[in-house]
Amino acid sequence: MKEFKTFWKNFVNFKGRARRREYWVAYCINYAISLVILSIGFGFVFGSLGGMVAEGQTGELKISAGLIVGGIIIGIAMIYMIVMMIGSIAQSVRRCHDIGKPGWLFLICILGSFLCGIGSIAWFVICCLPSQEGDNEWGSDPKAPGNDEFADSNGIIIAVVSVIVAIIFYIIVVCVGSVFGVINDLGGFEALQNGGIDAVTAEPGTEDISLYGGDYSTEYEISSETEFSTEDVTQEETTAAPVDDKGVGAGSGMFSGTEWQSFQIEVDGTVITLPCTYADIQNLGYSLSDDENGDEQIEPNNYTSSVYVQMGGREFSVCFYNDTAETKKLTECKIYALRFDSFYEVPNVSLPNGISMSSTPEDIREAMGKEQDGYVSDDSDYMSMDYYIGESYDQKGISFTFSDGKMSELKIENMEID
């Protein structure tokens, strides 16, 4: 480790010589230290992101404790690398001196690296060249008898082992961090130890989806034509509006029919028809969360990703779009989509056909027919079901996502553009 100590001892020393051994041992150990610190930071970050993906949060990034801690640790690694870079510049100048060349040769190589990349190759070759024999204008021969301060050092072995261990540590930490994040957000290790979760089975003969630990044998056929159920489906008493003798809801929970294509959804007892306005959301008692900016300007024919609204502890997201020829404030634009994510405490919601956040894939198929598109993961419990108007999912449809055997997301959208 004498080589590493010499690096810090001569941290800002641009005079003298640095032989190959001094340069490469210090470089490798500093690299290993940086990689270990980065690994820990990336472990926290990938663990948090892995959990978000597992829960279907692929559109929005929510700041979590894992992301904050990971960011701080990565920041520490960056600071260490910046400090290390200062010492490396001084050591690189001494390396040039050791082969009998002036220090500005290092600057030429750096500039060459930015311009065409050849400079990096040239610098690597320079760092591999042996020391100039005998004394030169920058100092005495570091390998001469009596000058070899690293003769009894085990620095080379330590450097090689450090790099190997750091790389292995990086792979393990990042992989384990990601897996842990997924498992933790899908119910934790306790769920795995208890035998996983119940299987979600689709229509007999078409899909056999065993979730978490079960055998997978999936034959997923998507029909281009979907038959929608026209039968009235009894809504759950806890979320449905009263129904009169015409089969239409009464009062504030009034549905215009029983088909999802009406783009209506009941939120806390009040029916919303898409597209709607921000005032409709305010009438429910919800307003933009503190992180959102209602004065944000939306250009003509543009739309937003999810914007969060909340009331007390409840929260869901909406999507705005500006279908006019003028720039408008966010809250003056139409809302074309509502998204309810079980990661948060969501309001009571129900579709005209009785589907709610507690519905199963079988309930949805019974009420809405076979989905037009969907996805079933081969190695996890993730599942999605999509229904839409037209040839593809193009701002007019409804989608359901299932994680851990339960509905994790319901999104309904209807973007009407003249």
Side-chain angles (χ1 to χ4, degrees), residues 110-172:
I110 294 298
L111 293 176
S113 300
F114 286 111
L115 295 176
C116 60
I118 298 178
S120 298
I121 300 175
W123 179 245
F124 176 79
V125 173
I126 290 173
C127 291
C128 293
L129 293 175
S131 302
Q132 183 181 34
E133 294 184 3
D135 300 343
N136 62 23
E137 58 181 297
W138 292 283
S140 59
D141 187 352
K143 293 183 178 181
N147 291 341
D148 193 352
E149 57 180 317
F150 308 129
D152 58 346
S153 173
N154 57 356
I156 295 178
I157 297 176
I158 293 177
V160 173
V161 172
S162 297
V163 171
I164 294 174
V165 170
I167 294 174
I168 295 175
F169 183 79
Y170 173 83
I171 295 173
I172 292 176

Side-chain angles (χ1 to χ4, degrees), residues 6-17:
T6 301
F7 172 84
W8 294 105
K9 180 181 178 181
N10 295 317
F11 183 70
V12 290
N13 180 18
F14 292 84
K15 299 179 181 180
R17 301 169 63 170

